[in-house]
Amino acid sequence: MTARPARGASRHLLVWLIGAFIVVPLGYAVLSGFKSTADLTRDPFGLPSPWRLSNYTGILSSGAFWRQIANSAGIAAATALVTVAVSAMAAFAFARYAFRGREFFFTLFAMGLMFPFAVAVLPLFILLRALGLLDNPLGVILPQAAFGLPMTIVILRQFFRTIPGELEEAAVIDGCGRFGFFWRILLPMARPALGTVSVLAIVTSWNNFFLPLLVLTDPKWQTIPVGVQQFQGQYSTNYALVLAYIVLAMVPALAFYSVAERQLIGGLTAGATKG
């Protein structure tokens, strides 16, 4: 009886340690954003005195900051739409159709999970330049969607395979074609899985730094990760202002994840418990 409470206490302690490892740096950055650089250098761990709201309000009143937020949100939404739309159709074919070479082609898609983006940087840049997609949001959206296909197809295929075949047979008997079954029945039933892969695509796109840095050199198209890097370079000596910018750049992602967390967890567990 003593071993079980000890294990429970050790797990709680581990959770608190992990939480502190995440929360403490975040709280330090938030408080440091209210200081001046001189205060931060003189007393790095003390409370702000006085509290300088101008660091945050100055950034929030900047048009460049909101433009970067809008660019990141638009690119993330478009990437999720393209990724989920293409992956859903491909996963439907891999899950519900029996054709020669099905497992071979699915394995090719799955192998994309082992293909690092860095390997494709040079040919991708040359291709985008040839297509005239540099300094164009499509130059970020399409590659992000392409690299997101393997994971999304794997998740959706597994979920689609849990839908009983009898349901499709009944739909066909009632006059519903293949596409009608896919659009009217399968997609509504797969809403948890679709929500999960949409959240993953949006978060991945929002956090992407290297591809927007490579493709989008025009400031009007820069996303928030690139904006953070540019802001750090511009105000490299004003540490407090940089920390304030980083904190504000994290807020939309944290807010989105707090709202989408239930959908993400629910969608991942739905396929495991269904059928």
Side-chain angles (χ1 to χ4, degrees):
M1 295 297 293
T2 59
R4 185 173 298 175
R7 285 197 298 268
S10 62
R11 291 173 183 171
H12 281 82
L13 178 61
L14 180 60
V15 170
W16 277 101
L17 288 176
I18 295 175
F21 185 77
I22 297 172
V23 172
V24 170
L26 181 60
Y28 176 78
V30 172
L31 290 177
S32 298
F34 288 103
K35 298 180 179 180
S36 66
T37 300
D39 295 336
L40 186 61
T41 304
R42 183 175 58 254
D43 187 11
F45 299 104
L47 291 175
S49 181
W51 292 72
R52 298 179 181 271
L53 297 176
S54 58
N55 288 345
Y56 288 100
T57 56
I59 295 171
L60 291 174
S61 62
S62 170
F65 175 78
W66 292 108
R67 183 174 62 248
Q68 292 161 7
I69 293 289
N71 290 340
S72 289
I75 289 175
T79 298
L81 179 63
V82 174
T83 303
V84 174
V86 175
S87 298
M89 291 185 285
F92 175 67
F94 285 130
R96 314 297 297 192
Y97 285 84
F99 55 91
R100 182 177 298 177
R102 181 181 67 173
E103 295 304 319
F104 171 76
F105 287 112
F106 176 74
T107 302
L108 286 181
F109 273 103
M111 287 175 61
L113 294 172
M114 301 181 291
F115 189 74
F117 170 75
V119 175
V121 168
L122 181 58
L124 179 61
F125 180 82
I126 295 174
L127 178 62
L128 293 176
R129 184 177 61 182
L131 295 175
L133 292 180
L134 296 181
D135 276 330
N136 189 323
L138 287 176
V140 177
I141 295 170
L142 296 180
Q144 284 185 158
F147 279 93
L149 288 179
M151 176 64 75
T152 310
I153 290 175
V154 169
I155 294 175
L156 291 182
R157 186 209 191 204
Q158 185 61 32
F159 192 92
F160 289 168
R161 294 181 72 174
T162 65
I163 306 298
E166 293 81 2
L167 187 63
E168 184 175 359
E169 293 174 1
V172 172
I173 292 174
D174 290 339
C176 188
R178 292 276 191 174
F179 182 78
F181 170 75
F182 169 74
W183 182 257
R184 298 178 182 177
I185 300 176
L186 192 65
L187 288 185
M189 293 184 66
R191 194 171 298 168
L194 295 175
T196 297
V197 295
S198 298
V199 171
L200 292 175
I202 290 173
V203 171
T204 302
S205 173
W206 184 276
N207 293 330
N208 196 345
F209 168 75
F210 190 44
L211 183 60
L213 179 66
L214 181 71
V215 176
L216 305 174
T217 58
D218 192 337
K220 74 175 183 179
W221 294 118
Q222 287 178 347
T223 58
I224 194 65
V226 179
V228 170
Q229 187 264 346
Q230 298 290 341
F231 192 84
Q232 288 177 322
Q234 185 177 359
Y235 298 95
S236 57
T237 59
N238 194 338
Y239 305 118
L241 190 61
V242 170
L243 286 172
Y245 197 95
I246 292 173
V247 169
L248 290 176
M250 289 190 298
V251 169
L254 293 175
F256 173 77
Y257 184 77
S258 66
V259 173
E261 178 188 9
R262 182 175 299 179
Q263 177 64 54
L264 179 63
I265 304 301
L268 289 175
T269 57
T273 58
K274 192 175 182 64

